[in-house]
Amino acid sequence: MTVEFAVAFALFAGVICYAVLGGADFGSGFHDLTAGGSRRGAPLRTLIDHSIGPVWEANHVWLIYVLVMWWTGFPQSFAAAMTTLYVPLVLALVGIVLRGASFAFRKYSETLWQARLFGIVFATSSVLAPFFLGTIAGALASGRVPEGGNGDPWTSWLAPTPLFTGAISVGTCAFLAGTFLTADAARRGQASLAARLRVRSLVVGAATGAVVFAALIPIEHDAPTLWDGLMSRAAPIMALSALGGIGTLVLLWTGRFGPARLTAVVAVAAVMAGWGVGQYPWVLVDQVSIAEAAGARTTMQGLLVAVAIAAVIVGPALAYLFYLTQSPRWNDAAQGDMSTSAGSTHWSRRVGG
């Protein structure tokens, strides 16, 4: 294994982590957006607050990790992408900032109209941000970023593959979040909410699968290099993703919500890994390979040392954080808070409950 490949592997591992963890975070906004009016949507929005509240900052650390690894390890390709795809990049970053601020402001709103306003901004931004991030991935994968940068700022991402990738990104995030939220609701004894989320997740999962199959036709013609990789070396990984998605739908249908979370993670992680394997060895498809885009060898070695140190220091802390949010003590505390401050005061007070 070359040092360039090791850095690229570490970078893409961050992409997969962001897709799974940040994706579930983004997807909660879709369910917030479609939860219904103030009274009907109150239980779901309260569940979302308690499910993502402790971890949403940690989830988006992966985006910083990916960007730092990219511009440090493969600087010329990063510059080319940023000077070409600055429109969707800026829109995605604006969406991330707005959803974060609105998520916090909504919780401390004093009136119903304020809560609604910040809720709309949070939910809408949560849908738009993964869409634009998906278009960036699609533009890179379809070879629309020239080696020298400064490609067309509009046609580079307003094209079949980027737009389908953006739509798939939104659907995948919503499906992942729905599966997680269904399990959270069931674990907290909210049977009616779990049943409602179960139906939502099944519908979103089926719709996302349909979009994926529909995207295969334009991708074959619009991104032939990616298509060849997906149909050859990445085919087993894509098959694993399909099995994970189907398995998640079956588990949701039969009410086995805990295992459904694991198969949903497998489905999302596998589709992202399949994309990376299908695109290999290109950083900018048909333009710059991993070896050609790599920075100085000493820089690459330093990055690997930094990744190793971060894995030792940050990895256990993140794992413990996620463990705490799934522990009985946290669930009991959250359930009590939902039945007092959040459940009866935060939302019900605003709707006259």
Side-chain angles (χ1 to χ4, degrees):
M1 178 185 295
T2 64
V3 66
E4 295 84 2
F5 177 82
V7 172
F9 180 85
L11 188 159
F12 205 78
V15 173
I16 294 176
C17 289
Y18 189 53
V20 173
L21 301 174
D25 198 335
F26 282 130
S28 65
F30 170 86
H31 294 283
D32 191 299
L33 183 65
T34 58
S38 300
R39 187 180 298 276
R40 173 176 170 76
L44 177 52
R45 293 188 176 105
T46 301
L47 176 66
I48 290 171
D49 285 352
H50 282 271
S51 294
I52 72 172
V55 297
W56 69 280
E57 291 276 17
N59 289 337
H60 295 284
V61 166
W62 291 107
L63 179 60
I64 300 173
Y65 167 86
V66 169
L67 292 177
V68 171
M69 289 286 291
W70 189 6
W71 82 53
T72 307
F74 308 95
Q76 291 184 345
S77 66
F78 179 85
M82 295 303 105
T83 57
T84 299
L85 301 172
Y86 61 86
V87 174
L89 178 68
V90 168
L91 292 174
L93 293 179
V94 169
I96 292 172
V97 172
L98 287 178
R99 75 180 298 276
S102 300
F103 180 72
F105 291 155
R106 181 177 69 174
K107 187 173 183 180
Y108 297 101
S109 299
E110 293 296 329
T111 61
L112 177 59
W113 75 266
Q114 289 177 338
R116 284 176 172 170
L117 174 61
F118 290 127
I120 291 172
V121 175
F122 163 71
T124 304
S125 300
S126 296
V127 173
L128 293 178
F131 173 78
F132 289 118
L133 289 173
T135 62
I136 293 170
L140 293 171
S142 57
R144 287 186 162 84
V145 178
E147 179 180 359
N150 295 304
D152 191 282
W154 299 102
T155 59
S156 59
W157 63 281
L158 293 175
T161 298
L163 292 177
F164 266 108
T165 308
I168 293 170
S169 177
V170 173
T172 301
C173 292
F175 179 56
L176 190 61
T179 305
F180 282 15
L181 290 170
T182 302
D184 283 347
R187 189 172 62 251
R188 293 170 180 174
Q190 298 174 284
S192 60
L193 181 58
R196 179 180 164 195
L197 283 165
R198 168 178 168 270
V199 174
R200 280 170 159 266
S201 300
L202 287 169
V203 172
V204 170
T208 302
V211 173
V212 170
F213 280 107
L216 295 179
I217 297 175
I219 287 178
E220 181 180 3
H221 302 284
D222 191 56
T225 299
L226 175 64
W227 172 263
D228 290 342
L230 292 176
M231 294 298 104
S232 55
R233 56 183 174 273
I237 304 175
M238 301 308 293
L240 175 62
S241 175
L243 290 175
I246 294 171
T248 304
L249 292 175
V250 172
L251 291 170
L252 286 172
W253 183 267
T254 57
R256 301 179 64 187
F257 304 137
R261 293 186 303 175
L262 298 178
T263 54
V265 169
V266 169
V268 175
V271 76
M272 295 302 297
W275 164 43
V277 173
Q279 182 174 320
Y280 180 82
W282 302 103
V283 177
L284 305 179
V285 171
D286 297 331
Q287 300 287 328
V288 183
S289 68
I290 292 174
E292 293 169 342
R297 186 173 182 82
T298 52
T299 300
M300 307 296 274
Q301 292 171 340
L303 277 175
L304 291 178
V305 172
V307 168
I309 294 174
V312 172
I313 297 176
V314 180
L318 284 175
Y320 186 56
L321 172 63
F322 291 123
Y323 166 77
L324 287 179
T325 62
Q326 302 299 311
S327 66
R329 178 179 297 180
W330 167 261
N331 291 328
D332 292 342
Q335 183 65 29
D337 189 32
M338 288 172 70
S339 64
T340 55
S341 63
S344 61
T345 305
H346 177 59
W347 286 108
S348 298
R349 177 187 52 169
R350 293 182 171 84
V351 298

